Amino acid sequence: MLTFPEQILHGRYPHRDFLHLYGPGSLWMLAGIFKVLGTTLTVERMVGFAQHALVAFALFALLRPWGRRVATAGAVAGVVILITPLGLSAMAWNGALAFALSGLAVGTHLARREERSDGRGLAALAGALAGVALLFRPDLVVAVGLGFGVLWWQSSRSRRLPMLAGAAGALALYLPHLLLAGPRAAFEGMVIQ
């Protein structure tokens, strides 16, 4: 997680110039952060810490309706399960999970609220977070599709379009990747390999 984002900073692209088995989102995010803060293990671990914290907060928010104890236990268990094998590494899986769970937390919070016009912004945010999760790990499409399918079904018509627009906006970031890496190389790297 240090070398691949550094390769991007040197003008090389995942799937075209080096093997990468996931979506480009995690590498782009790390490359941007490394550009600003430097390519160090400390910076990479801080991003990993932020991803783990986001998982904990999202799990807590999702489980809160069942009580504070259940929510706290679920959040702690989730982070222990994630941290145990790889520590604070900023892996694509951890980032995808953090964004997908955050999108679900925002969406379920919105579903519990009464109908208001300000719900469109939160609906767009929930959709965008789902799209970012798929930029990190496109193989989560079934889980994200099922989770957000339930949110879609529960949402009012006025919130469905913003949710879809948020997801489409985030997923549109695949277009530059396809242009830079090439559609065939990207498909082989993310799907075949």
Side-chain angles (χ1 to χ4, degrees):
M1 296 316 294
L2 288 171
T3 303
F4 287 173
E6 192 173 40
Q7 295 292 314
I8 291 174
L9 293 175
H10 293 302
R12 294 179 198 94
Y13 296 101
H15 307 125
R16 183 187 78 186
D17 299 321
F18 58 89
L19 176 68
H20 184 60
L21 303 177
Y22 311 115
S26 62
L27 300 184
W28 289 345
M29 181 187 73
L30 281 169
I33 292 170
F34 290 166
K35 180 81 171 170
V36 174
L37 301 175
T39 306
T40 67
L41 188 59
T42 301
V43 171
E44 186 264 340
R45 295 298 193 245
M46 292 306 293
V47 172
F49 177 77
Q51 290 175 343
H52 286 79
L54 196 54
V55 167
F57 288 127
L59 282 172
F60 184 86
L62 285 167
L63 296 172
R64 186 66 178 100
W66 288 277
R68 188 176 297 272
R69 286 183 184 163
V70 170
T72 302
V76 169
V79 171
V80 167
I81 290 168
L82 281 178
I83 267 185
T84 302
L86 297 172
L88 290 177
S89 296
M91 305 297 287
W93 168 255
N94 298 337
L97 187 62
F99 285 113
L101 289 173
S102 296
L104 286 173
V106 169
T108 55
H109 169 73
L110 183 61
R112 285 188 223 114
R113 290 175 46 177
E114 58 189 59
E115 186 68 33
R116 293 187 210 164
S117 61
D118 66 351
R120 292 179 183 181
L122 287 176
L125 176 61
L129 290 167
V132 171
L134 294 176
L135 283 173
F136 278 55
R137 291 289 301 248
D139 54 329
L140 282 180
V141 68
V142 174
V144 169
L146 289 172
F148 282 86
V150 171
L151 284 178
W152 176 273
W153 180 66
Q154 292 179 343
S155 295
S156 66
R157 288 182 182 247
S158 67
R159 293 179 179 167
R160 288 180 178 173
L161 186 57
M163 190 183 299
L164 183 61
L171 291 172
L173 293 173
Y174 267 115
L175 294 176
H177 178 65
L178 293 174
L179 292 173
L180 294 169
R184 181 178 178 159
F187 181 78
E188 285 180 8
M190 289 186 287
V191 178
I192 303 294
Q193 294 175 333

